[in-house]
């Protein structure tokens, strides 16, 4: 756990960037719950605030919409000059979350507010647990959102990632504004991986309405409608397999390599 002090200061204000994990309070760290408990004011996107609402009684709550991340960061830092403030961020704040923009704004403004990033369970980890063990070794995470990264660069990175033939986790896979990005990504995957490669999707991991889908790369296109922005997509690597028990589909496993060293 680290507190970033841009300058020495004596007053009581501070900012916690609190990672909420998948959204279920049982999957938040004790440190994250303590930071929320200490906060006088909590700010964040309305969706993530709703997930932690039982922790917010008696606190000032400031709701912000998607696309207002810079304004949210500035507001949180300003409030933290003389108050204890928590900004909530889904999953892990340092992975496609709010930590980077808050620290960038803090750096450029020269603020003396102490900022602590409180880690959490990122979506790849929570969703993977609902499939079995698809990420037991090396893997790559990629976001298909081109709001902050040009699509040409995303395509370049996807091509390199799938060439590695390790599992690839796709964040922000399919939205109403960019429904075709998932198809483009899967098209790149099929250049490098066989049609039998396992694909798993988990929607609303550890939240109300949780669903999962297990299919193959060759058949996945028929299931694109299942995927939305609350989903995480796993494209297996060269050793990934679907785990079956007496013919019933149980989950996805990517062996770590114990079979090469031990007999079991």
């Amino acid at each position: 756990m680290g507190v970033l002090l841009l300058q020495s200061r004596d007053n009581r204000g501070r900012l916690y960037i609190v990672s909420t994990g998948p959204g279920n309070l049982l999957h938040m760290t004790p440190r994250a719950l303590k930071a929320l408990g200490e906060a006088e004011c909590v700010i964040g996107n309305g969706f993530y605030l709703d997930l932690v609402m039982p922790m917010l009684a008696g606190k000032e709550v400031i709701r912000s919409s998607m696309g207002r991340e810079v304004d949210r960061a500035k507001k949180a830092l300003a409030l933290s000059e003389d108050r204890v403030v928590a900004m909530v961020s889904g999953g892990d704040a340092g992975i496609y979350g709010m930590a980077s923009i808050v620290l960038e704004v803090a750096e450029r403004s020269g603020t003396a507010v102490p900022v602590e990033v409180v880690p959490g369970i990122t979506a790849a980890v929570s969703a993977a647990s609902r499939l079995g063990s698809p990420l037991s070794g090396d893997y790559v995470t990629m976001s298909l959102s081109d709001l902050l990264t040009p699509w040409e660069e995303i395509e370049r990175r996807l091509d390199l990632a799938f060439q590695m033939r390790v599992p690839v986790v796709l964040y922000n896979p399919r939205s109403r504004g960019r429904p075709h990005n998932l198809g483009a990504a899967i098209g790149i995957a099929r250049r490098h991986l066989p049609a039998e490669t396992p694909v798993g999707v988990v929607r609303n991991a550890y939240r109300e309405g949780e669903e999962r889908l297990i299919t193959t790369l060759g058949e996945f296109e028929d299931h694109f409608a299942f995927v939305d922005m609350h989903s995480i997509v796993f494209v297996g690597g060269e050793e990934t397999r679907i785990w079956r028990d007496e013919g019933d589909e149980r989950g996805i496993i990517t062996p770590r390599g114990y079979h090469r060293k031990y007999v079991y």
Side-chain angles (χ1 to χ4, degrees), residues 146-174:
D146 55 4
L147 294 177
L148 300 175
T149 304
W151 179 250
E152 295 76 15
E153 178 61 19
I154 294 173
E155 285 188 310
R156 185 187 73 83
R157 295 176 185 177
L158 285 168
D159 189 65
L160 293 171
F162 288 122
Q163 285 186 60
M164 294 171 65
R165 302 176 75 85
V166 299
V168 175
V169 187
L170 302 177
Y171 282 64
N172 304 311
R174 187 171 180 267

Side-chain angles (χ1 to χ4, degrees), residues 3-241:
V3 178
L4 306 179
L5 287 168
L6 300 186
Q7 302 172 21
S8 62
R9 55 181 281 126
D10 297 322
N11 59 354
R12 61 185 295 273
R14 64 190 302 108
L15 175 60
Y16 296 115
I17 307 174
V18 179
S19 303
T20 65
N24 186 317
L25 294 181
L26 291 174
H27 294 93
M28 290 179 66
T29 67
R31 182 69 188 113
L33 294 172
K34 187 173 186 294
L36 282 180
E38 292 177 12
E40 303 163 70
C41 174
V42 181
I43 183 171
N45 176 273
F47 176 80
Y48 299 109
L49 287 171
D50 288 341
L51 293 175
V52 298
M53 193 54 66
M55 295 293 300
L56 306 185
K59 303 179 186 299
E60 180 183 359
V61 177
I62 300 175
R63 292 176 173 269
S64 176
S65 59
M66 293 293 289
R68 308 277 300 185
E69 289 83 3
V70 174
D71 291 341
R72 196 184 315 158
K74 290 179 177 178
K75 179 74 170 177
L77 287 163
L79 291 168
S80 302
E81 287 291 333
D82 56 9
R83 304 175 68 186
V84 180
V85 178
M87 171 181 282
V88 298
S89 185
D92 182 281
I95 302 175
Y96 307 121
M98 287 296 300
S100 65
I101 184 59
V102 173
L103 297 180
E104 285 184 74
V105 171
E107 179 185 42
R108 295 186 185 190
S109 68
T111 181
V113 170
V115 180
E116 179 180 335
V117 180
V118 182
I121 302 173
T122 186
V125 173
S126 59
S129 73
R130 308 309 267 171
L131 292 172
S133 185
L135 306 179
S136 56
D138 299 325
Y139 65 93
V140 175
T141 63
M142 290 284 303
S143 171
L144 298 189
S145 171
D146 55 4
L147 294 177
L148 300 175
T149 304
W151 179 250
E152 295 76 15
E153 178 61 19
I154 294 173
E155 285 188 310
R156 185 187 73 83
R157 295 176 185 177
L158 285 168
D159 189 65
L160 293 171
F162 288 122
Q163 285 186 60
M164 294 171 65
R165 302 176 75 85
V166 299
V168 175
V169 187
L170 302 177
Y171 282 64
N172 304 311
R174 187 171 180 267
S175 70
R176 285 175 292 182
R178 47 182 186 277
H180 306 299
N181 288 9
L182 178 61
I186 296 305
I188 295 171
R190 295 192 65 175
R191 296 178 199 163
H192 305 291
L193 296 166
E196 299 78 27
T197 301
V199 171
V201 182
V202 180
R203 186 162 60 190
N204 294 315
Y206 290 100
R207 298 198 293 261
E208 184 178 354
E210 178 183 290
E211 297 179 274
R212 76 171 196 170
L213 167 73
I214 295 176
T215 183
T216 63
L217 194 58
E219 298 177 354
F220 184 33
E221 188 173 354
D222 296 334
H223 302 284
F224 281 178
F226 181 84
V227 182
D228 60 16
M229 288 293 283
H230 299 294
S231 304
I232 296 292
V233 175
F234 297 79
V235 179
E238 61 184 343
E239 294 191 321
T240 305
R241 67 174 185 268

